[in-house]
Amino acid sequence: MNDYLGSSERRGLMAAMGPGGLGLAGGVFSNLRVAQAQALTGTPPEVERLSVQVVTDSYHHLFLPSGAFGEVAVQHWARPATSAPPRTLQNEWGLALHLQSARGAETRQVLVDFGFTGDTLNNNLELLGIDAAKLDAMLLSHGHYDHFGGMVGFLAAHREKIRPGLPFYLGGEECFCSRETGPADAPSNFGTLDRRAIAEAGLQVLFAERPSLLADHGFTTGYIPLASFEKPAQPSRMKVGLAPDGAGCAPAGLPAGKRELSLVTDDFQHEHAACYNVKGKGLVVMTSCGHRGIVNSVHGAIKVSGISKVHAILGGFHLMPMSQEYVHSTVAALKEFDPDYLIPMHCTGTPFYEAAKQELPGRVLLSSTGSRYTFGA
């Protein structure tokens, strides 16, 4: 993978995909701006405060009390009494997070993933008071529909608000590959990230295959090595190539071993995790799905940042389809990091939540759509 990212072929590809246009995907997408994200060099930036709000997830626990959970300020959304007719947050299979960080008087806001549908995402953003005009960046964790499905509806609803050239961080060209799931002899379509919608919204696509700065305040892990017992979880299959209308992924943008194939079992080389270095606390690592493995993701964050203290791990850990033995092995491995907090979401599953509460008492929080977690001062 390192050879691929640093190869002369790769550098030539990025030149072709530079600020002037995509080049490889046909004239219909010639105004899609693609560049490399700014590389993370040295110790990542330090923020004084980070708030993570769950915009979309599978569950909404209406009566959870807000307050302090140890050092974390937790605010659970409550339905407004003045709403007429009554409205509430919507839940669905998918995940979307809103991040707000602060360093002195400087703040940044980032939307991570988009859930399954635009209707749910837009409804929840409105009720939570999140203004698309204030976003400093967007990030897609990986190319699965339950994480990008709401993007087109979001861009359509907020196109006039989103600032021109808004950075959109992707883990690489593989994000654009069409995907399928289910049995090979009866596959189900799992969607294609829409290049046209991204281009028409005027977003600046930044490939973050290597560790990269995220809106000046955070960083992404880039490619996540397989450093533990974990292997890519429940892979989909990705189709290599471009459709006549330019949709799909350009083979030249993929690792050499995949370019000549038509269908590839997903190993999620394009998945990356969003991370922050919170002053006096340590790393906050967010894996939206963790197909590369939640333990591998945290290992990756520690390695690229040089920071060993892990304050919080949150997001989807993709353990729902795994055996009890695998789940307990994961809990044991995470315990070795000695995290202050675990906040499982989305595809993690109840068995992990129960096992982690036993092994890490007082450190595991119950997540809910609309919940906001604030780390640091």
Side-chain angles (χ1 to χ4, degrees):
M1 182 66 182
N2 288 334
D3 290 341
Y4 154 62
L5 290 176
S7 69
S8 59
E9 288 184 2
R10 181 64 185 160
R11 291 193 295 271
L13 169 69
M14 290 311 301
M17 298 172 71
L22 182 63
L24 293 167
V28 69
F29 299 118
S30 61
N31 59 338
L32 179 59
R33 296 179 293 168
V34 182
Q36 287 281 23
Q38 183 178 350
L40 173 67
T41 57
T43 304
E46 188 177 67
V47 298
E48 293 158 10
R49 183 175 66 256
L50 172 68
S51 293
V52 181
Q53 186 150 42
V54 185
V55 180
T56 303
D57 202 349
S58 303
Y59 305 100
H60 177 213
H61 306 286
L62 182 62
F63 300 113
L64 285 176
S66 298
F69 188 98
E71 297 178 344
V72 181
V74 182
Q75 181 181 359
H76 295 295
W77 184 83
R79 188 172 58 239
T82 57
S83 178
R87 294 178 59 192
T88 191
L89 296 174
Q90 298 172 8
N91 307 299
E92 65 184 11
W93 182 252
L95 190 66
L97 304 173
H98 176 258
L99 318 180
Q100 183 166 1
S101 56
R103 184 171 58 194
E106 182 183 80
T107 62
R108 294 286 186 272
Q109 295 190 38
V110 179
L111 184 62
V112 176
D113 291 353
F114 308 90
F116 206 91
T117 67
D119 287 346
T120 293
L121 179 63
N122 291 330
N123 174 80
N124 291 1
L125 287 171
E126 181 181 350
L127 289 178
L128 295 171
I130 296 171
D131 186 354
K134 295 181 179 180
L135 290 177
D136 296 289
M138 304 190 315
L139 180 146
L140 179 66
S141 61
H142 66 295
H144 271 179
Y145 195 85
D146 52 329
H147 293 263
F148 71 73
M151 183 197 73
V152 172
F154 167 77
L155 294 177
H158 301 281
R159 186 169 299 146
E160 300 304 318
K161 290 185 174 182
I162 295 172
R163 79 173 198 227
L166 185 72
F168 184 22
Y169 293 82
L170 301 177
E173 180 69 14
E174 284 190 8
C175 287
F176 290 107
C177 293
S178 298
R179 283 176 166 80
E180 66 178 35
T181 58
D185 59 350
S188 298
N189 176 27
F190 204 41
T192 307
L193 184 62
D194 195 327
R195 289 186 189 270
R196 186 191 302 273
I198 295 170
E200 290 177 349
L203 304 181
Q204 166 73 73
V205 174
L206 298 177
F207 280 172
E209 296 153 312
R210 291 184 181 276
S212 304
L213 289 174
L214 173 60
D216 300 323
H217 278 199
F219 67 98
T220 84
T221 58
Y223 167 74
I224 299 170
L226 299 178
S228 74
F229 65 91
E230 299 169 309
K231 302 299 180 185
Q234 204 174 20
S236 52
R237 295 178 295 275
M238 67 181 199
K239 299 177 182 179
V240 177
L242 293 164
D245 65 356
C249 55
L254 307 183
K258 299 177 181 178
R259 295 173 193 167
E260 303 301 322
L261 302 175
S262 59
L263 195 64
V264 181
T265 299
D266 231 328
D267 56 11
F268 301 100
Q269 286 187 342
H270 66 287
E271 184 181 54
H272 56 160
C275 311
Y276 285 77
N277 174 22
V278 180
K279 184 178 181 180
K281 305 296 182 182
L283 294 177
V284 175
V285 182
M286 286 162 278
T287 63
S288 293
C289 228
H291 287 278
R292 291 289 286 184
I294 180 59
V295 178
N296 291 330
S297 300
V298 178
H299 271 303
I302 291 172
K303 182 177 180 179
V304 303
S305 69
I307 299 170
S308 59
K309 173 57 185 172
V310 178
H311 186 47
I313 306 168
L314 60 154
F317 302 167
H318 217 288
L319 294 168
M320 192 172 291
M322 300 304 192
S323 67
Q324 286 282 355
E325 180 181 3
Y326 192 99
V327 169
H328 282 280
S329 295
T330 304
V331 172
L334 291 176
K335 189 175 180 180
E336 291 183 9
F337 293 122
D338 193 26
D340 296 324
Y341 301 100
L342 292 175
I343 310 177
M345 304 172 187
H346 185 40
C347 51
T348 305
T350 303
F352 174 88
Y353 178 76
E354 297 298 335
K357 283 201 305 179
Q358 291 293 320
E359 291 296 320
L360 295 161
R363 304 193 198 187
V364 184
L365 286 77
L366 179 63
S367 182
S368 177
T369 299
S371 296
R372 192 169 190 256
Y373 307 97
T374 300
F375 308 96

